[in-house]
Structures are given as C-alpha cells and as structure tokens.
Amino acid sequence: MSQTAIPEFFVYGEPARALDVGFLHVETVQARASVHRGQVLAHKHPQMAQITFWTGGSGTYRIEDKTWSFSAPTVSFMPSGVVHGFDIEPGTDAIVVSVADAALAVLAEQSALPLDQPVFVTGRGEGALWERLGNTVRMIQAEYADRLPGVERILPPLIAVALSGIARLDAQSHAIAVPAAVALGGRLRRLIDRHFREDWPVERYVEELGTTRHLLDKAARQVLGAGVRQAIGDRRLVEAKRLLLFTIRTVEDIAYETGFNDPAYFSRFFRQAVGLSPAAWRKERVGRQ
C-alpha cells in the first residue's frame, strides 16, 4: 500500500480528530457494516492504536504492502500511522479496541508486546491461549459497554493483559516490517515515552536514533502528527493531564513529575496549550465525571 493520499480516520469513516487523554473506544466490525459493507479500504489512524480480535468468519487483511488470508481466531495490533484495510466474508466479525497513543504509552511497561510495530497472528499458538485472549477482549468489550463505576481504572490494565496475550501467541515472529519513516517514528515515540521527563534536546533524540534532524522531524510529523519538539511537549502535556485527572497530587508536584523545574513555567505552558490553568482544568474535568 502506498502512503500517498491514504485517508486518516478517527474510527473508520469518521474524520480524524483530537483525542482526549485516556481515550478508549470499543466496537465490533459489524457495528460499522453500513459504512464499509465488508470492504475497509486502506487507511490509518493518527495518534491511536488498535487491537482487532476476529471472533468469527474469514477474509483478507492488508498491512502496508503485505496481504494475508485469515479465518477466526485471528488478532492484530496496529500502531498509529500504519496503513491497513481488509475485505471480509458475510457474517465475519471482530471486536476492535482503539486506544489513544497517550493512553497506550502508560501501558507500555505493563505490556509484554512492543507497541511500535504492527503484529498479525492467525490460527497459531495453543488453543488455551486463544481462549484466554478472547475472554480478555470480551471482558474489555463488556466493561466498555456497561460503564459501571470504576471502568476508567479497570479498562487500561485489561488492555495491557490483552496486549501481553498477543505476545504469548508468538507475535514476535509475526511482526511486520513497515516503511522506514514509520518505523523511525515508532522508535521516536517509544524513546519520548521513556525520556520526556528528562527534557532532552532534540539533538539527543537524533543521536540516540542514529539519524538526521531532518529525517527525524519528517518521521515525527508523519507518525506523531507534529515535529519532534512539539511531540515532546505534547507528551508532557498528556502526562500532566493524566495526573491531574486521575490523581490528587498537587500542581507543583505534577510540574516536577513531568519534567518542569519551575511550577510557574509549567502553569504558563499548560495554559497556553489548553486555555486554562492546571487547577482550573482539573476542576472542570473532574466536575464532569
């Protein structure tokens, strides 16, 4: 598949949009059947990864320039920015779990599956492992649908378990090569996740990844939707939002945790990006829950 003029979607058929911190979305492939009618054309998702667990039926799956025939059970993990699509036979269905990159970054240390490369596994591994993975994905689907108290704390670890379940199916041997710029962007994302608190200069990322500033900035814009410097700032902002929303830590403490030596500068940075002070944003968002 060519990257030229490949459409970007939020979920298939809906224009890409900014994703809130902690964004998760779960639906079946058949829930969108009126849009795709069994043929999902080549597309990609900016700033959002997907787990797709095929529960029944068969079809043809495409990732970048590779194509596979598949039948259930089959599972894929698709990082953001990777081109994919599929054709399915009537009655074929899957559960699709979409996770914002920002939320996925928090799960990286809990997942046995590397999160910067697409994976596609069909009909391999022990039956018990497939059953366990299926049960986990269905639990994610039920938790998302029921919206019981505490769901926002229950779903992320379940997703980490699902990702690790994919790894147990020998997913490493089924990892798929992607274009050089996409691979570089994925490596950059993982490096930013590890070091954004340390306030590395862009040149440090260039050196660590063994590339040039031009190539890294190009890869960042293609995969992360922003240049390297902005991508680092965006990651710090996302972490700050997560801590404001899901913890009771002070604004000053959160400033230091996200790599700011000056809480006043952190507040100016946050207000410029969001339009509210950290405390006001927290009050507004917590009030909605």
Side-chain angles (χ1 to χ4, degrees):
M1 296 182 192
S2 169
Q3 289 280 342
T4 304
I6 297 294
E8 295 184 344
F9 292 126
F10 160 55
V11 290
Y12 190 75
E14 296 186 22
R17 69 192 197 205
L19 302 181
D20 203 356
V21 59
F23 170 84
L24 300 171
H25 181 268
V26 184
E27 70 176 7
T28 64
V29 165
Q30 285 300 321
R32 211 158 283 272
S34 62
V35 178
H36 58 69
R37 301 184 184 280
Q39 183 180 40
V40 169
L41 302 177
H43 67 286
K44 55 186 177 178
H45 304 283
Q47 301 178 19
M48 184 176 79
Q50 288 185 327
I51 299 169
T52 303
F53 183 84
W54 295 92
T55 55
S58 60
T60 302
Y61 207 96
R62 302 177 296 278
I63 303 174
E64 296 292 345
D65 60 351
K66 306 292 184 183
T67 302
W68 297 265
S69 294
F70 74 89
S71 58
T74 290
V75 68
S76 66
F77 171 72
M78 207 63 49
S80 61
V82 175
V83 182
H84 60 286
F86 53 82
D87 299 324
I88 54 175
E89 299 297 327
T92 300
D93 205 0
I95 300 168
V96 183
V97 181
S98 301
V99 188
D101 284 345
L104 197 66
V106 179
L107 304 181
E109 293 184 359
Q110 284 75 52
S111 168
L113 184 74
L115 304 181
D116 57 355
Q117 193 167 16
V119 168
F120 185 83
V121 189
T122 181
R124 296 178 182 271
E126 298 180 15
L129 294 179
W130 280 106
E131 182 178 1
R132 185 178 299 177
L133 176 60
N135 289 339
T136 302
V137 174
R138 290 183 182 92
M139 190 179 299
I140 292 169
Q141 182 185 36
E143 286 286 344
Y144 182 84
D146 294 344
R147 295 287 177 178
L148 298 174
V151 63
E152 70 281 353
R153 298 183 182 278
I154 292 171
L155 280 175
L158 282 176
I159 291 169
V161 171
L163 292 166
S164 297
I166 296 172
R168 287 175 171 173
L169 292 169
D170 196 25
Q172 295 306 298
S173 65
H174 302 284
I176 298 153
V178 295
V182 176
L184 180 58
R187 290 166 58 208
L188 172 63
R189 176 168 50 214
R190 186 158 60 172
L191 203 60
I192 290 174
D193 286 342
R194 290 175 179 170
H195 299 289
F196 71 90
R197 297 177 181 86
E198 300 167 37
D199 200 23
W200 280 9
V202 173
E203 290 72 19
R204 178 73 182 274
Y205 287 94
V206 172
E207 179 183 351
E208 290 288 331
L209 293 169
T211 185
T212 67
R213 181 155 184 166
H214 171 73
L215 289 176
L216 190 60
D217 208 52
K218 182 178 178 181
R221 293 183 187 282
Q222 181 173 330
V223 176
L224 307 182
V228 180
R229 189 177 299 280
Q230 183 180 336
I232 297 167
D234 289 347
R235 181 65 183 88
R236 297 171 90 182
L237 179 65
V238 162
E239 186 68 8
K241 286 181 174 180
R242 187 182 72 82
L243 293 171
L244 286 165
L245 194 58
F246 298 118
T247 75
I248 58 172
R249 296 169 69 171
T250 66
V251 171
E252 182 178 5
D253 190 28
I254 290 171
Y256 293 131
E257 174 66 18
T258 51
F260 292 88
N261 295 322
D262 181 358
Y265 177 69
F266 165 69
S267 292
R268 290 195 298 272
F269 164 84
F270 194 95
R271 183 186 290 275
Q272 184 175 12
V274 177
L276 295 170
S277 70
W281 184 87
R282 169 186 264 170
K283 183 177 180 180
E284 179 185 89
R285 293 302 305 274
V286 171
R288 292 181 192 170
Q289 294 185 341

